[in-house]
Amino acid sequence: MAVKIIFVTGGVISSLGKGITSASIGKILESRGLKVTLMKFDPYINVDPGTMNPYQHGEVYVTEDGAETDLDLGHYERFTSSRLTRFNNVTTGQVYYEVISKERRGDYLGKTIQVIPHITNEIKDRIKKVAHVSAADVVIVEIGGTVGDIESLPFLEAARQFRLDAGYNNTLYIHLTLVPYIKVAGEIKTKPTQHSVGTLREIGIQPDILICRTEKVLSDEIKEKISLFCSIRKEAVIEAKDVETIYQLPLVFKNQILDEIILGHFNLICKSSNLADWEKNVVERALNPKDKVKIAVVGKYIGLQDAYKSIYEALIHAGIANNAKVEIEKIDSEDIEKCGPEKLLKDVRGILVPGGFGVRGVEGKIKAIRFARENNIPFLGLCLGMQCAVIEFARNCCGLKSANSSELNASTQYPVISLIKEQKNIRNLGGTMRLGTYPCKVSKKSRAFKYYGKELIHERHRHRYEFNNEYKKLLENKGIVFSGIYPKKNLVEIIELKDHPFFIAVQFHPEFQSKPDNAHPLFKGFIQAAIERV
Ligand code: GLN
């Protein structure tokens, strides 16, 4: 069977949920027995988002192979069973980098290098490569940005050309638009959608399916109107009304037989779908929690919903696993610096300190961790969160008053967190951290083992600094348990405290592997401990 390619574009405005839409399409196709993979095209010139501020870009999602990618890849992995690599996220920067390198090598000798065909060919080759390497039946390609942006034109042009190469029944164009409800007029408006489809047509793409984001139900009449003006069959005008949980979206699509419409276009006959487990174990549990638990996330990128995306999702998954609704209280660590932890943290049942870079807000995180440790509040520290827990313990329990990380104070007297040899001579900042999956050995008697249930685990990393083993004995004598080690380099991966309801901090990012129907064991244990704390 020839591989099938689905292009997902967006129109009218950004932030319509193209990533979740693409992931949900992946889910319903997977439920029909197809092997899917997903790609994200990002029209910016950075090679990857690794060096961008989270306020610019949101979370940087890390794949198993250590690529720093767009956060939509997180949605893809959470909704489907696809495992993504560095080839699944393509940026304009990567494409030009490759084409210019080839030009310098002389690969195009004698030719003038142009957007068409050289850039567009490079983009198409990347789709073919992923199709080949993944051996997927269907590749879903989400094109970032909004139709009409200058930046995304080469990607859209490559998508247009793809149908010429691969054939009508092997390519499908899905366009996501906004159908706004105008309150003062009391009406739903289709004009922005008509314009957006018009713009896409000017580029040479006639969408086969339209997915309409809306606050209100779309009447038959509205669907007919959209169908007529946009030249799309009425049943292929899909309503995507706001949902309570994003995990409902595959069911919303399924109810409108989106999977059948897609399979019909591809001339595919597949087994019938089974989303019953997803509905029962994810959606119904998310919508009908028996308990409620308030968890503080103490970070410095609190203002942006997307900056800690995978962490928030992992907390939701852990809630689902414990039949509880997790209410996330986002607390700016600089506010803790200003008014102390008591006021802001007194009524939370768990405290999570996420990863981060740089000195701003760190003292607030350290105060929050001390508060959790001294008041027996369940605590989960991730990456910088673990480093802060080490600093806090060294300062307040081991008498090393000025302990710090050498990232935060290069001349600290007690660098309990520092650079290992390999990192010391690195000059380039892009793609040079400890990145991707590493094995970790969990000690059998630890709490971590109780949650993981196994000795050998694999978790994803994204950091430069490490626990400084010179301080290991001292901290151990004062009560820290070093319960997870990367054996090959003897690097500390997990620390915990014994006499505490839940105090675990990890150098890696467990949030990247949590799934709605398979919550990460540490998050699950953390939420369980938080529920048990009365
Ligand atoms: N800034 C720290 C380091 O580079 C932690 C990174 C993180 O939390 N992702 O080691």
Side-chain angles (χ1 to χ4, degrees), residues 215-227:
E215 283 173 67
K216 303 263 176 198
V217 173
L218 298 184
S219 65
D220 258 11
E221 205 188 331
I222 292 283
K223 282 193 179 176
E224 262 156 34
K225 188 170 171 188
I226 294 174
S227 160

Side-chain angles (χ1 to χ4, degrees), residues 404-425:
N404 216 330
S405 159
S406 55
E407 174 189 8
L408 311 171
N409 175 3
S411 55
T412 175
Q413 197 183 351
Y414 306 116
V416 288
I417 305 291
S418 63
L419 285 182
I420 55 168
K421 247 202 336 283
E422 288 104 291
Q423 282 288 344
K424 281 197 175 137
N425 298 321

Side-chain angles (χ1 to χ4, degrees), residues 355-357 383-384 387 407 462-465 509:
F357 295 83
C383 209
L384 181 66
Q387 299 176 354
E407 174 189 8
R462 180 173 184 254
H463 56 100
R464 219 178 276 290
Y465 293 81
H509 290 274

Side-chain angles (χ1 to χ4, degrees), residues 172-318:
L172 181 78
Y173 301 109
I174 299 183
H175 191 53
L176 179 68
T177 70
L178 177 71
V179 180
Y181 173 71
I182 306 299
K183 229 188 254 158
V184 282
E187 272 182 58
I188 283 176
K189 292 294 179 189
T190 65
K191 192 68 86 190
T193 295
Q194 294 176 38
H195 279 301
S196 181
V197 172
T199 309
L200 204 50
R201 280 211 210 102
E202 277 172 28
I203 299 166
I205 295 175
Q206 163 65 47
D208 303 298
I209 294 172
L210 207 55
I211 299 183
C212 305
R213 280 299 307 273
T214 166
E215 283 173 67
K216 303 263 176 198
V217 173
L218 298 184
S219 65
D220 258 11
E221 205 188 331
I222 292 283
K223 282 193 179 176
E224 262 156 34
K225 188 170 171 188
I226 294 174
S227 160
L228 182 67
F229 281 94
C230 300
S231 290
I232 291 169
R233 287 185 300 143
K234 192 176 143 209
E235 64 270 28
V237 177
I238 306 288
E239 171 191 296
K241 201 165 147 284
D242 298 346
V243 277
E244 259 180 79
T245 152
I246 53 171
Y247 299 116
Q248 274 171 291
L249 201 56
L251 303 178
V252 168
F253 288 164
K254 168 95 197 110
N255 287 342
Q256 297 175 72
I257 59 163
L258 179 58
D259 51 342
E260 275 305 316
I261 296 169
I262 295 173
L263 296 183
H265 178 95
F266 287 148
N267 285 333
L268 289 179
I269 296 168
C270 295
K271 70 168 184 126
S272 58
S273 98
N274 189 356
L275 285 171
D277 282 351
W278 182 266
E279 184 164 10
K280 188 162 143 264
N281 298 332
V282 178
V283 177
E284 278 175 18
R285 290 171 74 124
L287 296 179
N288 305 298
K290 309 243 171 328
D291 234 318
K292 212 163 67 179
V293 62
K294 200 192 269 183
I295 300 294
V297 173
V298 181
K300 70 172 179 182
Y301 310 113
I302 288 302
L304 182 77
Q305 171 69 15
D306 277 351
Y308 300 117
K309 192 78 204 164
S310 294
I311 294 175
Y312 296 151
E313 290 306 314
L315 286 170
I316 292 170
H317 305 161

